[in-house]
Amino acid sequence: MRDLKIIQHITLDGVIQNTADENDFPYTDWGAAYRSPEGRDAVWAAHGETFDMLIGRRTYDSWASFYPQMTFPLADRINAGTKYVVTHHPDTLTWGPSEAIGPDLVEGVRRLKSEDGPDLVVCGSSTLTSTLLEHGLADEVWLITNPVLLGTGKRLFAEGTPAQTLELTDSKTFASGLILATYKPAGQLKPA
């Protein structure tokens, strides 16, 4: 049985977008000023020594354009792990190892989680996050919060994300202002 972790770099106002690939987003690489060796090592450790990825097609295409050429420890682990991709065009997955998740995301993830293998990590792919949490498929949520407000951009949790609670299980702060917080889903939020 495998666990599924959602790991996201995020701003204080909930933005995760850091590239201009979808629109004229003006704040590319907004987290660069807060990177430090200490923070990098903590984020790399959060992924684990071995893991497979669960990613959407846009993230897959974006990452396939640069990760195969990268040679640092986390890139090596990403390149070695299987990329399970939510896509309507499985025949075009060229960066491997990769496999299409299938037409039913929820059932596909349940199947993957029930199999033996390394943990599953979701990075980017914001459209998957709400569905994974809604169906109780995420075991942990790791948020790497940068002390930045952008006011615009794609947010981690879209309008309509089901109300629920998360339990803080660990947190670390770094001199750069970065906060790494680990949460476990704790159930639906009850209306007042």
Side-chain angles (χ1 to χ4, degrees):
M1 187 108 172
R2 318 203 239 190
D3 282 345
L4 186 146
K5 294 182 206 177
I6 296 169
I7 301 176
Q8 293 288 358
H9 291 268
I10 190 168
T11 66
L12 287 171
D13 57 343
V15 175
I16 63 167
Q17 183 177 354
N18 65 5
T19 60
D21 55 0
E22 294 177 28
N23 54 32
D24 293 330
F25 185 69
Y27 303 111
T28 58
D29 206 17
W30 44 260
Y34 306 100
R35 292 186 187 124
S36 68
E38 181 186 36
R40 176 203 62 214
D41 292 347
V43 170
W44 288 3
H47 285 76
E49 285 300 314
T50 60
F51 57 90
D52 290 337
M53 302 288 302
L54 172 65
I55 54 179
R57 185 58 195 241
R58 283 189 292 248
T59 299
Y60 173 87
D61 287 341
S62 175
W63 287 19
S65 70
F66 63 87
Y67 267 116
Q69 293 81 36
M70 296 293 162
T71 57
F72 58 92
L74 183 60
D76 294 342
R77 290 183 244 166
I78 288 171
N79 286 318
T82 300
K83 277 65 78 182
Y84 294 99
V85 185
V86 179
T87 182
H88 297 292
H89 304 287
D91 54 324
T92 61
L93 298 175
T94 58
W95 171 43
S98 59
E99 181 181 314
I101 194 76
D104 185 329
L105 171 64
V106 173
E107 285 307 311
V109 172
R110 283 189 180 128
R111 175 185 51 81
L112 287 173
K113 287 187 66 167
S114 71
E115 297 173 351
D116 289 332
D119 285 346
L120 298 164
V121 172
V122 177
C123 294
S125 307
S126 63
T127 55
L128 301 179
T129 301
S130 294
T131 301
L132 295 171
L133 288 168
E134 178 182 359
H135 292 280
L137 297 170
D139 298 291
E140 292 183 317
V141 178
W142 293 63
L143 297 180
I144 304 119
T145 305
N146 292 256
V148 175
L149 297 172
L150 299 181
T152 187
K154 185 188 294 183
R155 300 216 176 334
L156 176 58
F157 300 108
E159 185 73 29
T161 298
Q164 53 192 280
T165 60
L166 300 170
E167 174 189 342
L168 180 68
T169 59
D170 191 28
S171 66
K172 295 180 178 90
T173 58
F174 301 94
S176 67
L178 211 65
I179 299 171
L180 175 59
T182 308
Y183 300 92
K184 285 195 176 279
Q188 291 183 344
L189 179 65
K190 306 295 185 219

